[in-house]
Amino acid sequence: MLAIAQSHLSAHADLVVLKLLDAENMPSVATHSADAYSISLRLKICDRRLALQEALRVLKPGGRLIVLEVSNIPWFFAHRLYLLYMSVCMPVLGWLATGGDALAYKYLLQGIRDFPSAEGLAQEMKQLGFTEVDFERLSLGIVAIHTARAPGLADEESFGC
């Protein structure tokens, strides 16, 4: 994914740096040094609180956080059907796709079951100190994109300057 992003951003290589790092601990990234921080489908497999605290640490004041993560379908019956599909069909498809190893699909289901709702993740982000926290559900709510800012955004931006 980084190679693809790098190729798309090659014209802006002097402005954009892409790195693969441990979300919970990034000592090579200076405090308040990043304009933006993006993480995709990883908060369910790491210590979510540590990862979000580290994102907050490295973001400049007013820096943008963008998180794509599993979510909940807001309609109870549809969400239950989705979980049933993930618990019955996905392991079988995973077993077929991997030639007999469905462990990755079992871990995926556990991550979905244990992950907070979109509202719950937004609340966690607010509690950690992020501002302007918002989210948008995609694919009926199977995933959501959360956005937030590190506190300290200059007042000029709110006035359109």
Side-chain angles (χ1 to χ4, degrees):
M1 291 174 71
L2 283 175
I4 293 168
Q6 196 69 49
S7 70
H8 288 290
L9 295 169
S10 61
H12 306 286
D14 56 329
L15 299 173
V16 177
V17 177
L18 301 175
K19 296 181 179 183
L20 177 63
L21 300 166
D22 177 351
E24 297 174 13
N25 186 23
M26 299 181 289
S28 65
V29 180
T31 299
H32 304 291
S33 64
D35 293 310
Y37 181 103
S38 175
I39 189 167
S40 178
L41 301 172
R42 291 291 174 238
L43 290 180
K44 69 181 176 300
I45 61 171
C46 65
D47 184 320
R48 187 170 58 251
R49 183 174 183 81
L50 285 178
L52 290 171
Q53 285 174 332
E54 191 68 350
L56 189 58
R57 181 190 70 79
V58 303
L59 281 169
K60 290 178 180 176
R64 174 68 74 185
L65 173 68
I66 304 164
V67 176
L68 171 69
E69 196 52 80
V70 299
S71 188
N72 62 309
I73 299 173
W75 307 284
F76 179 80
F77 184 69
H79 189 68
R80 289 288 161 210
L81 282 176
Y82 172 65
L83 291 178
L84 179 64
Y85 166 78
M86 290 298 291
S87 63
V88 175
C89 298
M90 283 306 290
V92 172
L93 293 173
W95 182 82
L96 291 171
T98 61
D101 181 16
L103 288 179
Y105 294 90
K106 290 179 183 176
Y107 117 86
L108 181 63
L109 175 63
Q110 192 62 39
I112 292 168
R113 282 187 178 147
D114 294 344
F115 205 76
S117 66
E119 294 85 359
L121 181 58
Q123 187 59 37
E124 287 180 16
M125 293 166 72
K126 288 176 186 175
Q127 289 172 345
L128 288 170
F130 285 98
T131 63
E132 298 181 40
V133 177
D134 198 11
F135 65 88
E136 178 183 353
R137 286 186 170 93
L138 305 172
S139 301
L140 298 176
I142 293 171
V143 296
I145 296 178
H146 283 75
T147 58
R149 288 202 181 271
L153 182 62
D155 291 341
E156 294 88 354
E157 188 169 308
S158 64
F159 293 111
C161 299

